[in-house]
Amino acid sequence: GNSHDALLGLQKAVSEQWPQVVINLDGTGESTTRNIIHAEALLLIGRWMEDTAHYDTQTVLKQYKSVISVHPESEDGHFYLGKYYDRLMSVLASDRPTKSGDFLVFIIRHYGHTLEYGSSTSINLCQGCSHCGWTMGAMCLMEERKHKRKQH
């Protein structure tokens, strides 16, 4: 409906404003203001793509990763990419808990970058890290139980 139409309009406007992705870093390694604005627009597209559920997982991941490629120090970009990996882990690894380890690496990496580049998302980040801790604990417990069964 309207949200999907708004997303398409935003995608068109961003592609017209930035016809090609150019990563411009000045001499200090800081992203330019133009890159920051571009990254914020790409992040908004990614969040809307996720919310409208009209896009497959790989497309949404690619969108979030484009935020990081345009502005590598984007606190929000890393936060939402980590959060999306966390969500994928919850959904895709629920029937195969050993798969969770694959996701945890990305979740921890991007949540770590979130803390490195800012602290405005720290409350939400604590909730995400708590979930990662519980998941890792559950995985360890399952492996321990498997190991004990094999010994008996």
Side-chain angles (χ1 to χ4, degrees), residues 85-86 88-89 92-93 96-110 135-136 139:
Y85 274 120
D86 193 10
L88 289 177
M89 180 180 69
L92 300 176
R96 290 183 45 203
T98 55
K99 200 89 168 116
S100 296
D102 298 340
F103 290 102
L104 282 172
V105 172
F106 295 108
I107 295 166
I108 292 168
R109 176 186 302 150
H110 291 290
T135 302
M136 186 61 124
M139 286 175 49

Side-chain angles (χ1 to χ4, degrees), residues 2-150:
N2 291 339
S3 59
H4 186 65
D5 292 338
L7 173 59
L8 295 175
L10 179 60
Q11 287 174 317
K12 182 177 183 221
V14 169
S15 67
E16 289 172 358
Q17 180 67 30
W18 294 279
Q20 47 187 278
V21 175
V22 178
I23 301 171
N24 291 325
L25 298 176
D26 65 19
T28 64
E30 299 285 324
S31 294
T32 64
T33 302
R34 184 168 168 78
N35 285 55
I36 293 169
I37 294 168
H38 185 188
E40 288 174 1
L42 293 172
L43 180 61
L44 185 58
I45 290 171
R47 292 185 66 195
W48 283 3
M49 289 171 92
E50 185 178 352
D51 289 345
T52 61
H54 279 89
Y55 297 88
D56 64 279
T57 301
Q58 290 302 318
T59 304
V60 176
L61 275 174
K62 184 178 175 184
Q63 184 66 32
Y64 281 136
K65 288 177 181 179
S66 71
V67 174
I68 305 304
S69 71
V70 170
H71 179 42
E73 297 177 358
S74 171
E75 174 189 358
D76 288 339
H78 283 287
F79 175 76
Y80 283 103
L81 183 54
K83 187 175 178 181
Y84 192 66
Y85 274 120
D86 193 10
R87 181 174 170 208
L88 289 177
M89 180 180 69
S90 308
V91 173
L92 300 176
S94 61
D95 53 331
R96 290 183 45 203
T98 55
K99 200 89 168 116
S100 296
D102 298 340
F103 290 102
L104 282 172
V105 172
F106 295 108
I107 295 166
I108 292 168
R109 176 186 302 150
H110 291 290
Y111 280 169
H113 285 305
T114 299
L115 290 173
E116 181 180 359
Y117 301 128
S119 61
S120 66
T121 55
S122 59
I123 291 174
N124 290 327
L125 184 60
C126 290
Q127 293 169 347
C129 288
S130 173
H131 180 261
C132 289
W134 283 110
T135 302
M136 186 61 124
M139 286 175 49
C140 291
L141 183 61
M142 288 175 49
E143 288 300 314
E144 185 178 316
R145 286 180 180 165
K146 281 184 196 176
H147 182 69
K148 284 182 180 178
R149 276 189 226 138
K150 286 180 183 178

